[in-house]
Amino acid sequence: MEHKAFFFKTKQEIMQSIPIQIRRGIFQGDSLSPLLFCIALVPLKNELNGADCGYQVHGTERKISHLLYMDDLKLLCRKENDLKNEIKIVQTISKDINMMYV
C-alpha cells in the first residue's frame, strides 16, 4: 500500500499534508495522475488496436476502432458483434488495472 503526501503553497509557506494511503487505482489529487492515467490506458489502447474491429481508413489497411482522450473513450465499429467484442476488451482491461467501468 502506497503512502503519499501532498504539498500546498500559501503566500507565506509551503505546507505538507499528512500521509494518505492509496489502496488502488490512481489518486486524482496528484499532479502526475493525468500522465499516470494515460500510461495506465496503454494496454487498453493496444488491445483495441489489435482487435479486428472498427472503420477502415480509405486507401489504407488501417482501421480506427476507438478514440481516446484522457478519460473519454469512444468505441467505433460497423457491426454489433464488433462493439460487443470491444466492450468486452474494455471490461477485461479495466478490471485488470483496477479501474471502474460503466
Side-chain angles (χ1 to χ4, degrees), residues 11-71:
K11 289 183 180 182
Q12 291 83 21
E13 63 181 322
I14 296 176
M15 301 172 62
Q16 181 178 351
S17 72
I18 61 172
I20 299 169
Q21 289 183 352
I22 300 174
R23 295 187 179 152
R24 69 181 185 115
I26 299 170
F27 189 67
Q28 291 183 348
D30 190 345
S31 61
L32 285 177
S33 286
L35 177 61
L36 292 174
F37 183 81
C38 291
I39 291 170
L41 291 180
V42 168
L44 174 61
K45 178 187 75 71
N46 290 340
E47 286 294 319
L48 288 171
N49 283 338
D52 191 30
C53 302
Y55 285 93
Q56 188 81 33
V57 177
H58 181 69
T60 70
E61 296 292 319
R62 181 133 174 97
K63 283 189 174 183
I64 298 176
S65 61
H66 65 284
L67 298 173
L68 178 62
Y69 180 76
M70 295 305 282
D71 65 345

